[in-house]
Amino acid sequence: MWFGWIEFDLLLGDVHSLKQKRSVVRPLMAEIRRRFEVSVAETGNLDAHRRAVVSAGVVAADAAHVIKVLDGLERLVAERPDIELLSARRRLHSSEDE
């Protein structure tokens, strides 16, 4: 079994309140869930208006599939015009890792 995660550090566009932030971040997370069937959550910068950290995790039988999904997630986030992707960190692990 392989599992991987990716964490996106995001700069949001014209956002001036937490309510506006939610109106950008929630649809992004919903699209990630719908298109990739992964777990996703806002995991950082919860009180900052223009910054967000969104993380996603995937589990699969082989590493190639996990890498393919993580690559797709990064492309999706990077292509969003209302969000600037500042960085993406990822990790890949096997159930046999110690």
Side-chain angles (χ1 to χ4, degrees):
M1 171 179 69
W2 289 87
F3 56 99
W5 58 264
I6 190 163
E7 179 181 78
F8 302 109
D9 185 7
L10 307 173
L11 178 63
L12 307 178
D14 190 27
V15 172
H16 302 288
S17 69
L18 291 176
K19 185 175 181 179
Q20 288 178 321
K21 176 183 179 177
R22 283 192 305 272
S23 73
V24 174
V25 173
R26 282 187 180 167
L28 171 65
M29 292 190 316
E31 183 177 4
I32 288 171
R33 275 188 203 100
R34 182 181 53 79
R35 288 185 56 186
F36 293 95
E37 297 181 2
V38 297
S39 296
V40 62
E42 184 179 359
T43 57
N45 291 328
L46 300 175
D47 294 326
H49 296 143
R50 294 199 61 220
R51 295 287 297 271
V53 176
V54 173
S55 303
V58 60
V59 177
D62 60 278
H65 181 72
V66 173
I67 292 168
K68 180 180 173 183
V69 170
L70 295 179
D71 288 345
L73 288 167
E74 190 167 351
R75 272 192 307 279
L76 172 74
V77 173
E79 292 172 354
R80 294 283 299 243
D82 55 338
I83 295 171
E84 182 180 345
L85 177 58
L86 299 175
S87 68
R89 292 181 345 137
R90 62 167 74 188
R91 293 287 185 268
L92 181 67
H93 299 281
S94 168
S95 59
E96 297 176 10
D97 290 346
E98 292 194 27

